[in-house]
């Protein structure tokens, strides 16, 4: 099985962290293709960043369809472009926020999300509601760390994340923690041991969920809104983003 794990920001070192977490989770027969968005912001910390990052993400999905991928993981906690990506493929596509929240709901009656900036906390709160996770998520907490601080070994990021996780356990009544950034993917196992509760990274669980879905032959429905994008011309700078159904000749 071949799973493509896409970092929608353009920071290669963060893709390496994400790829290592994906490979650590993958079954022996699973090949992980790790990809970095070819265009867009170096970190995704708001709605504007997300909107621009989706172009590189969708290009990586398009390439993945040529690479014979059996599933895709969107490795940014805002799950940017998730629904658009699902239109492009029959393979399952999971975002790390939805995967981590669902996993947390299986192992605790309540969880807290520990994320980066206050503004991304608000985005994560939107996702909690979009995914129907309001009954399970006790609170979304911000560490006020910038995404690229997670990628800087000299930063104080780990200590700040651990402290926020401890506050979540003390104050929120949560039984599990969801790590709210792709750049935190390397912390899940050691923080689980340190804190004594499940600390969940969405990259690892998304890989396992894709293995389960694809292994059972379950793909993205092509009925309704996840049907392939309608054939049409796109104009201007993004004209080459017009969707080409597999096997169809290109437009003149
Ligand atoms: C993210 C993430 O996971 N990667 C990125 O660039 N921004 N989202 C976040 N909440 O920090």
């Amino acid at each position: 099985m071949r799973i493509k794990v896409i970092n929608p920001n353009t920071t290669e070192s963060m893709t390496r962290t994400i790829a290592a977490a994906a490979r650590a989770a993958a079954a022996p027969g699973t090949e992980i293709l790790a990809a970095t968005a070819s265009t867009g912001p170096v970190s995704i910390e708001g709605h504007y960043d997300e909107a621009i990052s989706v172009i590189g993400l969708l290009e990586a999905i398009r390439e993945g369809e040529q690479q014979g991928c059996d599933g895709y993981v969107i490795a940014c906690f805002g799950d940017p472009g998730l629904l658009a990506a699902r239109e492009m493929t029959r393979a399952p596509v999971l975002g790390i926020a939805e995967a981590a929240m669902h996993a947390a709901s299986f192992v605790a009656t309540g969880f807290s999300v520990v994320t980066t900036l206050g503004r991304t906390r608000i985005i994560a709160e939107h996702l909690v509601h979009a995914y129907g996770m309001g009954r399970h998520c006790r609170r979304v907490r911000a560490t006020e760390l910038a995404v690229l601080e997670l990628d800087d070994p000299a930063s104080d990021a780990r200590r700040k994340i651990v402290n926020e996780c401890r506050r979540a356990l003390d104050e929120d009544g949560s039984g599990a923690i969801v790590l709210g950034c792709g750049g935190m993917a390397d912390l899940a196992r050691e923080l689980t041991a340190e804190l004594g509760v499940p600390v969940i990274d969405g990259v690892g669980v998304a890989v396992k969920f894709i293995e389960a879905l694809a292994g059972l032959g379950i793909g993205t429905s092509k009925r309704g809104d996840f049907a392939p994008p309608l054939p049409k011309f796109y104009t201007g700078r993004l004209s080459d983003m017009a969707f080409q159904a597999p096997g169809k000749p290109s437009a003149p």
Side-chain angles (χ1 to χ4, degrees):
M1 180 177 309
R2 179 175 286 178
I3 301 176
K4 188 161 191 175
V5 179
I6 304 160
N7 174 16
N9 78 39
T10 58
T11 300
E12 296 277 359
S13 51
M14 194 164 289
T15 307
R16 287 194 286 275
T17 301
I18 290 164
R23 293 196 174 107
T30 299
E31 181 189 3
I32 300 292
L33 300 186
T36 309
S38 60
T39 185
V42 293
S43 62
I44 299 166
E45 298 176 309
H47 299 292
Y48 186 89
D49 290 344
E50 282 195 7
I52 304 298
S53 75
V54 170
I55 301 301
L57 170 87
L58 298 181
E59 285 176 342
I61 302 272
R62 183 166 65 185
E63 183 192 45
E65 292 297 278
Q66 304 300 320
Q67 295 168 315
C69 293
D70 299 294
Y72 299 90
V73 175
I74 300 175
C76 170
F77 203 78
D79 294 353
L82 176 62
L83 303 183
R86 284 185 177 147
E87 292 185 17
M88 294 177 68
T89 178
R90 291 182 174 276
V93 185
L94 293 184
I96 62 171
E98 64 167 0
M101 290 184 204
H102 281 88
S105 75
F106 299 152
V107 296
T109 50
F111 64 83
S112 296
V113 177
V114 172
T115 188
T116 50
L117 300 178
R119 64 188 297 167
T120 53
R121 174 177 58 73
I122 298 167
I123 294 176
E125 286 171 350
H126 284 306
L127 290 183
V128 165
H129 293 291
Y131 297 150
M133 282 284 148
R135 284 173 52 237
H136 302 283
C137 180
R138 299 249 199 269
R139 187 163 165 181
V140 183
R141 289 172 165 270
T143 54
E144 295 302 348
L145 286 160
V147 168
L148 292 185
E149 282 183 81
L150 301 171
D151 213 40
D152 173 6
S155 82
D156 205 16
R158 190 186 187 285
R159 189 187 61 79
K160 288 185 180 160
I161 292 164
V162 171
N163 286 348
E164 201 58 40
C165 290
R166 288 195 195 285
R167 277 194 283 274
L169 297 176
D170 289 345
E171 296 170 16
D172 305 347
S174 289
I177 303 287
V178 165
L179 295 174
C181 183
M184 300 178 183
D186 53 337
L187 297 176
R189 276 187 194 269
E190 59 189 54
L191 295 195
T192 295
E194 199 167 323
L195 298 171
V197 296
V199 176
I200 297 170
D201 144 53
V203 175
V205 291
V207 166
K208 290 317 252 185
F209 287 156
I210 295 282
E211 286 180 342
L213 292 168
L216 289 165
I218 298 172
T220 299
S221 174
K222 292 292 109 184
R223 192 181 165 104
D225 62 329
F226 292 153
L230 295 170
K232 67 185 73 171
F233 292 109
Y234 282 28
T235 58
R237 192 184 295 177
L238 296 177
S239 57
D240 68 339
M241 291 303 289
F243 184 71
Q244 296 289 329
K248 292 261 175 71
S250 3

